[in-house]
Amino acid sequence: MQFTAVLRSEWTKIRSLRSLSYSLAVLLVVTVAIGFVVCSGYDGGDAHFDPVFNAYFGLNIGQFEAIVFGVLTVAGEWSSGSIRVSLAAVPRRGLLYAGKLVTVGSLALAVGLVAGFASVAGGQALLGDEGVSLGSPGVLRSAVGCGIYVGLLAVFSAGTGALLRSPVGALSLLIPFFLSLGPMLGSLKATREVGQFLPDRAGQQILHLAPEGALGPWPGIAVLAGWAALAAAAGLWSLLRRDV
């Protein structure tokens, strides 16, 4: 079976499941809307103010929809039992899995790009004199980086879902991790050096005009890509080695 046929099949599955489409829609709306609210309410006076990162405030919530999307797209097939039908149609497990990851990553990337450019453009307009133009150094990189961040986060979540084969199990692990553990380790002085290499802390460096810490914008994304590759490899191992 050709890879393009697998991609079409995976796209059809996602399009036909409203929960998956809603996850991407909520990701976009929440990220942009909250960013607009935060930017419109800024009253100045912060010497360390980052006008671009401020516009991504909503991504702190929107990113959980990328996690849900990635997990449900893959692990949802085990909970529903439809994975048997998928494997009957595509016996080559590696090919099926690759199609899932490419579809998940591509769709999340596309939505993330829209969210990134909308957040930056609208946020800077709402900030007025405090904002920067899209042509300012680092702004375009940040908007593109938002898409890459969301895409890699979805792949990381999809790989985790494939490893655990349970939407509840994967979400019970990932949601607390990104909601509390990551931010806590990244903010405490004793764990800050290690915490900056966690997926969210590293990946979000690309959203800053002037990133702080050991990682710059692209090295931070590279660290997130490493996490995504590790999760994807673990999910592939599970798919190839364990019975359905």
Side-chain angles (χ1 to χ4, degrees), residues 9 13 19 28 81 86-87 120 158 161 211 217 226 236:
S9 174
K13 292 177 189 177
S19 60
L28 176 61
S86 297
L87 287 174
V120 170
L236 178 61

Side-chain angles (χ1 to χ4, degrees), residues 96-119:
L96 175 65
Y97 185 62
K100 290 182 179 298
L101 293 188
V102 170
T103 305
V104 166
S106 298
L107 290 174
L109 170 66
V111 174
L113 286 172
V114 175
F117 279 94
S119 296

Side-chain angles (χ1 to χ4, degrees), residues 121-142:
Q124 302 318 298
L126 290 169
L127 285 170
D129 294 338
E130 297 285 349
V132 295
S133 68
L134 290 176
S136 298
V139 178
L140 181 60
R141 176 258 296 162
S142 176

Side-chain angles (χ1 to χ4, degrees), residues 11 14 33 63 75 81 109 112 125 128 174 190:
W11 162 242
I14 292 175
Q63 68 179 353
L109 170 66
L174 293 175

Side-chain angles (χ1 to χ4, degrees), residues 4-226:
T4 52
V6 176
L7 293 178
R8 286 196 297 269
S9 174
E10 293 302 318
W11 162 242
T12 301
K13 292 177 189 177
I14 292 175
R15 188 176 57 183
S16 62
L17 293 174
R18 292 183 178 180
S19 60
L20 300 180
S21 300
Y22 289 164
S23 294
L24 292 178
V26 172
L27 188 162
L28 176 61
V29 172
V30 167
T31 299
V32 175
I34 294 179
F36 284 2
V37 171
V38 171
C39 288
S40 64
Y42 180 71
D43 56 4
D46 184 357
H48 302 286
F49 177 65
D50 184 334
V52 173
F53 189 69
N54 197 66
Y56 294 123
F57 193 88
L59 188 60
N60 292 315
I61 299 175
Q63 68 179 353
F64 291 104
E65 293 300 325
I67 294 172
V68 170
F69 173 69
V71 167
L72 292 184
T73 301
V74 177
E77 290 208 48
W78 269 276
S79 62
S80 66
S82 61
I83 186 63
R84 294 181 177 86
V85 178
S86 297
L87 287 174
V90 188
R92 295 170 58 187
R93 297 188 174 195
L95 181 65
L96 175 65
Y97 185 62
K100 290 182 179 298
L101 293 188
V102 170
T103 305
V104 166
S106 298
L107 290 174
L109 170 66
V111 174
L113 286 172
V114 175
F117 279 94
S119 296
V120 170
Q124 302 318 298
L126 290 169
L127 285 170
D129 294 338
E130 297 285 349
V132 295
S133 68
L134 290 176
S136 298
V139 178
L140 181 60
R141 176 258 296 162
S142 176
V144 173
C146 179
I148 299 174
Y149 174 77
V150 172
L152 289 174
L153 187 60
V155 172
F156 174 76
S157 304
T160 304
L163 175 63
L164 299 181
R165 299 188 173 191
S166 167
V168 174
L171 292 175
S172 296
L173 173 66
L174 293 175
I175 297 298
F177 179 81
F178 283 93
L179 183 64
S180 57
L181 183 60
M184 180 183 68
L185 294 178
S187 59
L188 295 177
K189 185 176 181 180
T191 58
R192 191 174 300 162
E193 293 299 319
V194 175
Q196 65 183 326
F197 290 93
L198 294 175
D200 54 339
R201 307 294 292 188
Q204 288 188 12
Q205 292 302 306
I206 201 168
L207 305 178
H208 292 267
L209 283 182
E212 299 179 353
L215 296 175
W218 297 112
I221 279 292
V223 170
L224 174 57

